[in-house]
Amino acid sequence: MAVTSKPSTSTSLRHETMLIDGAWTDGNAREAITVLNPGNRKPIASVPRGTAEDIDTAVKAATAAFPAWMRVPPRDRGRILTRIADVIEARVEELAKIIAEETGNAIKTQARPEAKGTAEIFRYFGGLASELKGETIPFGEHVLSYTRREPIGVVGAIIPWNAPVLLGSLKIAPALCAGNTLVLKAAEDAPLGILWVARICQEFLPKGVLNVITGYGPEAGAALSAHPGVRKLSFTGSTEVGKLVMKAASERIVPVSLELGGKSPSIVYPDANEDWVVDGIIAAMRFTRQSQSCTAGSRLFLHADIFDDFLNKLAAKASKLKIGNPLDEETDMGAIINEKQFRKVCGYVEDGLKQPGATLRFGGLPPKDGPLSEGFFAIPTLFAHDANDWRLAKEEIFGPVLVAIKWTDEQEAIRMANQTHYGLAGYVWTKDIGRALRTAHAIEAGWVQINQGLGQSPGHSYGGVKQSGIGREFSLEGMLDSFTIKKNVTINLATP
Ligand code: ADP
């Protein structure tokens, strides 16, 4: 969580600076943002409230660094990334603790896997540098026509707070591997982990290749989206802000990659009324990340034959998740990022409780006293309703509130699953492979999983359709499509 303060008022509070042109600095910022631990609402550190001038300085630094960086042989760029991966891997516990503290995500279930995943991302893209290959086009013996994968230039990247280090690394590693330079705007609620990663990167990178600005979205973020020196925009966050970024990009015809929200369906067939499926639904819903995930399978379509029995099993398992201090190794589920989000999630629960036709099957409003009331702790909650078109089934809650909807006819289940403007992920649960594949192919989403609910790994092209986004991340194709330009060179070989 972030609040604005004067920079030097609390002397004991750790202060982290921004990375601009190889230097650690407050830039032009006259105010600071205090980062709070969502688990106890206490300050952890402050960071500069970066300004439009800071963005401008950073873009100029990245522009100046670009010609030399693009000429570094790709393998050498890749080697730098793998060396960064080695250092992150060796210090993974340090990073896990920072992530848990600033995001409120439990160290055991989320923050440590995120820290490990970050090292993996640098290693994966480091190994892909030699794959920045072109093609030859067969125009006949008298012509040589080939393509080159060239970097685009200065990339402007904006990231959210829910998995800030992983999502930030998914922009830094492929963009730099492909020979671009970067200005990254960290999320105001969780900037510390990505600044820690940037410190490691800076030990290996020439100055100006990577710049990280802290600050608020409508200030620093908007300035980055609108900066004429930025040649590519890569954004992860809400659909609402994604539209603003796309609008800014359209002013200058700058290519844009958007990884936005979701309201992903999980379709459970009658043969899947089993414990491992219940575990899978909990994983797909990302309950252990307080469901603050755009991939969360937050609409549960359960076949009528198993509806009540499955929900009873789910209630029993969900109630066993241990909620509390994110840094405690026993904790499964931590805290919601900030007060605004916490109130928003509570608002959805209140709405559900008042909704005619909806029944609360487990969970509800968070406790008002006791240890959990000290932080922004929400509890796993499920409402059952026959309708698919009420507010909780339509809007992205970004909190642990699941809705269950009954179905009997497969086509009807698929129709309801697709009845959304989102299209990020989907989950299908059945042992009948024909049904599973038929359904997976019919779901309008960028990623459908069958009989598993967990996260993505490097190599798989991740991204959405409809209002869940444009472009793919996490893979070789993602790097090539998002961070390179395909240039064609054609040579007449028949000159006298
Ligand atoms: P969330 O609600 O998940 O925080 P947001 O889309 O609000 O998602 O934020 C994601 C990122 O976008 C953050 O770094 C935030 O500061 C930034 N952001 C917010 N508003 C704007 C804006 N108007 N222009 C550019 N970036 C913005």
Side-chain angles (χ1 to χ4, degrees), residues 158-161 185-188 216-218 221-222 225 235-238 241 244:
I158 301 175
I159 55 166
W161 45 260
K185 210 289 279 172
E188 49 270 50
Y216 290 116
S225 312
F235 172 81
T236 302
S238 60
V241 176
L244 297 177

Side-chain angles (χ1 to χ4, degrees), residues 35-283:
V35 183
L36 303 185
N37 175 340
N40 58 20
R41 309 180 195 212
K42 293 198 176 124
I44 313 167
S46 62
V47 294
R49 177 176 174 173
T51 62
E53 291 82 53
D54 296 321
I55 291 288
D56 186 51
T57 316
V59 173
K60 286 184 176 138
T63 307
F66 178 60
W69 180 246
M70 74 176 280
R71 285 189 176 80
V72 171
R75 273 188 193 215
D76 292 345
R77 294 198 300 259
R79 202 168 292 130
I80 289 176
L81 296 178
T82 50
R83 286 163 74 194
I84 292 170
D86 290 341
V87 180
I88 296 175
E89 205 163 75
R91 293 171 60 185
V92 89
E93 278 305 303
E94 228 178 288
L95 179 57
K97 188 165 170 284
I98 297 171
I99 298 173
E101 233 183 349
E102 68 172 342
T103 61
N105 288 338
I107 192 154
K108 178 180 73 171
T109 55
Q110 297 305 316
R112 188 172 294 119
E114 179 173 348
K116 287 183 180 167
T118 298
E120 253 189 76
I121 286 166
F122 277 93
R123 192 171 307 291
Y124 171 77
F125 284 106
L128 286 185
S130 326
E131 295 302 315
L132 292 153
K133 294 185 287 203
E135 300 140 352
T136 53
I137 297 111
F139 284 152
E141 288 306 306
H142 62 293
V143 177
L144 170 62
S145 185
Y146 66 95
T147 60
R148 281 163 55 83
R149 287 286 184 177
E150 296 183 353
I152 306 175
V154 178
V155 173
I158 301 175
I159 55 166
W161 45 260
N162 60 334
V165 177
L166 193 101
L167 297 174
S169 304
L170 273 181
K171 314 235 182 268
I172 297 171
L176 298 191
C177 180
N180 303 280
T181 54
L182 194 77
V183 178
L184 180 133
K185 210 289 279 172
E188 49 270 50
D189 287 293
L192 304 174
I194 200 70
L195 285 173
W196 184 95
V197 168
R199 265 188 198 277
I200 290 173
C201 293
Q202 194 48 46
E203 285 170 25
F204 298 95
L205 293 171
K207 68 175 192 160
V209 168
L210 170 66
N211 304 270
V212 180
I213 303 290
T214 53
Y216 290 116
E219 298 172 1
L224 183 58
S225 312
H227 199 291
V230 170
R231 301 285 295 275
K232 155 87 196 187
L233 283 163
S234 179
F235 172 81
T236 302
S238 60
T239 297
E240 196 189 1
V241 176
K243 288 180 187 175
L244 297 177
V245 172
M246 194 165 175
K247 221 173 259 170
S250 76
E251 289 296 323
R252 321 191 296 286
I253 319 291
V254 162
V256 60
S257 305
L258 303 171
E259 204 271 88
L260 308 174
K263 190 76 184 173
S264 300
S266 247
I267 302 181
V268 184
Y269 280 84
D271 67 331
N273 185 19
E274 295 183 10
D275 276 348
W276 65 271
V277 180
V278 175
D279 291 333
I281 294 296
I282 289 173

